[in-house]
Amino acid sequence: MAFELKDLPYSHDALESNGMSKETLEFHHDLHHKAYVDNGNKLIAGTEFESMTLEEIIVKSFVKGEVAQSGIFNNASQHWNHLQFWEMMSPEKHNIPSELSSEINENFGSLDKFKEEFCAAGVGQFGSGWVWLVKNQDSSLSITKTENGVNPLCYNQTALLGCDVWEHSYYIDFRNKRPVYLSNFIENLVNWENVASRL
Ligand code: MN3
């Protein structure tokens, strides 16, 4: 199935007052995400992957334990990751739905503890990658970090929340300050309704 660059679920300047600028979204969505879509389409053309869904391509092309993944995997997974990422943010502040709130308390002790661990994992990802809140097969929740384009689908987990910690995600707004970008993300950008809908 050909990859398609969908519009953002809000305008490019919608997250300005929440700490993510129009310029960041113009570069990040219109150029970086678009490049994954365009490159992915070139790479899957004429291969067995062409007829698969995006999720199938990711799972099929992922090689466990390999640091260097194929171009098909990297572009497909980064396309999927960004589709999730745009939806996981919102210009409106949401309260955390009660079911999600109790799951977080049960698994991490408190919301503050969860936020602290999530940000620390994102800061601790050496080089490019993602930090995730995932739901495991046994229904427990965990915080994970992944390198480059690797995502929870590769480990049979459900992605509830993900934050892009590639430099292109924060350098315009926060320069080298990844910790400030992450704490702003968790405090001001997360669409908690969307996160809860993934439970
Ligand atoms: Mn990115």
Side-chain angles (χ1 to χ4, degrees):
M1 199 160 56
F3 302 172
E4 192 194 337
L5 185 71
K6 288 205 300 184
D7 288 341
L8 288 168
Y10 29 74
S11 65
H12 286 78
D13 61 2
L15 305 179
E16 289 257 5
S17 58
N18 305 56
M20 188 172 281
S21 66
K22 181 178 180 218
E23 190 183 1
T24 286
L25 284 175
E26 284 170 349
F27 273 87
H28 201 173
H29 175 271
D30 304 358
L31 299 175
H32 289 280
H33 187 173
K34 184 175 190 295
Y36 299 127
V37 169
D38 293 346
N39 292 330
N41 280 331
K42 277 183 211 147
L43 289 168
I44 62 170
T47 72
E48 56 168 332
F49 296 104
E50 202 171 22
S51 59
M52 296 180 195
T53 64
L54 181 57
E55 287 79 4
E56 285 168 343
I57 296 172
I58 292 166
V59 171
K60 256 309 235 304
S61 64
F62 178 62
V63 185
K64 236 178 207 155
E66 282 293 322
V67 177
Q69 299 286 330
S70 67
I72 287 181
F73 173 82
N74 287 332
N75 286 285
S77 63
Q78 281 290 75
H79 175 37
W80 187 87
N81 293 347
H82 287 85
L83 286 172
Q84 315 308 311
F85 186 52
W86 310 134
E87 285 180 0
M88 289 163 171
M89 296 188 286
S90 166
E92 287 110 46
K93 275 252 183 186
H94 293 105
N95 289 323
I96 303 192
S98 56
E99 192 195 349
L100 175 62
S101 174
S102 51
E103 288 284 334
I104 285 177
N105 289 335
E106 202 174 296
N107 285 274
F108 303 100
S110 69
L111 179 62
D112 283 346
K113 197 89 191 32
F114 159 71
K115 288 178 175 176
E116 200 180 295
E117 284 179 34
F118 185 88
C119 292
V123 170
Q125 170 55 35
F126 184 75
S128 297
W130 292 77
V131 53
W132 306 93
L133 169 65
V134 301
K135 185 176 180 176
N136 299 299
Q137 287 295 305
D138 65 2
S139 289
S140 63
L141 306 191
S142 314
I143 292 164
T144 66
K145 54 184 179 174
T146 55
E147 72 277 1
N148 302 320
V150 177
N151 65 41
L153 292 177
C154 303
Y155 300 106
N156 212 8
Q157 297 162 323
T158 305
L160 302 181
L161 177 65
C163 185
D164 188 342
V165 298
W166 285 57
E167 281 188 349
H168 65 227
S169 191
Y170 58 87
Y171 225 82
I172 291 170
D173 297 325
F174 297 97
R175 295 300 167 193
N176 59 330
K177 299 184 185 69
R178 191 193 284 184
V180 185
Y181 158 75
L182 277 158
S183 59
N184 180 69
F185 173 82
I186 205 77
E187 292 299 338
N188 301 316
L189 284 164
V190 176
N191 182 341
W192 294 106
E193 300 279 349
N194 181 273
V195 177
S197 73
R198 298 163 181 268
L199 275 172

